[in-house]
Amino acid sequence: MISLNSVNKVYPTRSGPVHVLKDVNLTVDSGERIGILGRNGAGKSTMIRLISGAELPTSGRIDCDMSVSWPLAFGGAFQGSLTGYDNLRFICRVYGVDPDDKVAFVEEFSELGIYLREPVKTYSSGMRARLAFAISMVIEFDCFLIDEIVAVGDARFHEKCHHELFEKRGDRAMIIVSHDATYIRDHCTRATVLANGTLHHHASMDEAFEFYHQSTAVAA
């Protein structure tokens, strides 16, 4: 289970503190797929970073008794001077996974070819995303964090990513944040809405979508 209890996140700015998340409460059980809807700038990525442990809340508590991925397709944690291959080996060792039998999968899935053995700082954003997604699939997390879009590249590669994550790992918990209600409906079993820093829970997916559309219409 993942539990967020009265979580607040405040960022200092030149214009004063900005309260991005306000007393957020959320519980995610094993195998559950939670969708968090919100406009751009609502704080969705901030919540994902807090759950992943990349940032700490200003106040409140986050408890996890399951392994949690980094945000999928996010390559910000790579060491740029190391090659993709060396980053793979390093990340596998951090998570206690033998890297030797994972290389072939990452080579095939990422389709980086000779660039897997080139420094990551020479990669395009798409290449970094493909490497990050491929490495995410060799670590068997209990819960995957998905920030907006996990698939990169052309339609064929999108389908490849979808099969690897949503079909082969259909029994895992997932937290998906997006501004796209259709994407949430297609991949989640429950939806909440993040608006004005507050997470709004609803009894059904339809109620959540109705609230989201009303809140975005008012904001517009």
Side-chain angles (χ1 to χ4, degrees):
M1 177 185 290
I2 297 173
S3 177
L4 281 69
N5 299 288
S6 299
V7 168
N8 288 269
K9 185 63 178 180
V10 180
Y11 289 105
T13 72
R14 293 183 179 181
S15 301
V18 176
H19 206 154
V20 178
L21 298 177
K22 305 172 184 177
D23 293 320
V24 168
N25 293 283
L26 178 68
T27 299
V28 182
D29 294 320
S30 297
E32 192 173 19
R33 295 185 182 183
I34 305 298
I36 302 174
L37 280 163
R39 300 173 62 220
N40 291 332
K44 304 186 301 299
S45 294
T46 296
M47 184 178 296
I48 285 289
R49 289 196 299 271
L50 294 179
I51 296 171
S52 73
E55 293 188 35
L56 295 175
T58 303
S59 64
R61 183 184 178 98
I62 300 176
D63 296 310
C64 297
D65 63 2
M66 63 175 77
S67 60
V68 179
S69 78
W70 55 84
L72 296 198
F74 174 70
F78 289 139
Q79 215 297 322
S81 61
L82 296 180
T83 66
Y85 172 78
D86 289 334
N87 273 281
L88 165 64
R89 294 185 64 84
F90 176 77
I91 292 170
C92 283
R93 287 170 177 165
V94 167
Y95 285 94
V97 174
D98 183 358
D100 292 332
D101 62 350
K102 307 300 183 183
V103 175
F105 172 85
V106 172
E107 285 181 328
E108 186 278 330
F109 192 92
S110 67
E111 302 178 4
L112 290 173
I114 63 172
Y115 292 101
L116 186 63
R117 288 171 171 76
E118 294 294 328
V120 168
K121 64 184 177 183
T122 65
Y123 287 13
S124 67
S125 58
M127 293 167 68
R128 292 171 69 97
R130 296 207 308 272
L131 177 64
F133 190 93
I135 295 177
S136 298
M137 295 300 99
V138 302
I139 311 294
E140 293 299 334
F141 296 108
D142 299 319
C143 179
F144 288 94
L145 304 179
I146 303 170
D147 191 350
E148 294 287 0
I149 298 172
V150 299
V152 295
D154 57 20
R156 178 192 57 79
F157 201 85
H158 285 198
E159 181 59 32
K160 189 176 176 179
C161 292
H162 183 278
H163 176 74
E164 194 67 32
L165 178 60
F166 293 111
E167 295 181 24
K168 292 180 67 174
R169 290 163 180 80
D171 61 335
R172 310 301 169 82
M174 296 182 188
I175 302 174
I176 303 175
V177 300
S178 180
H179 66 275
D180 187 339
T182 301
Y183 189 76
I184 294 296
R185 185 184 290 277
D186 289 344
H187 298 296
C188 298
T189 56
R190 177 159 64 95
T192 63
V193 180
L194 184 60
N196 299 316
T198 301
L199 193 62
H200 300 266
H201 300 276
H202 300 273
S204 70
M205 297 275 277
D206 288 337
E207 287 184 16
F209 294 143
E210 182 178 358
F211 178 84
Y212 174 62
H213 291 310
Q214 289 176 348
S215 65
T216 54
V218 170

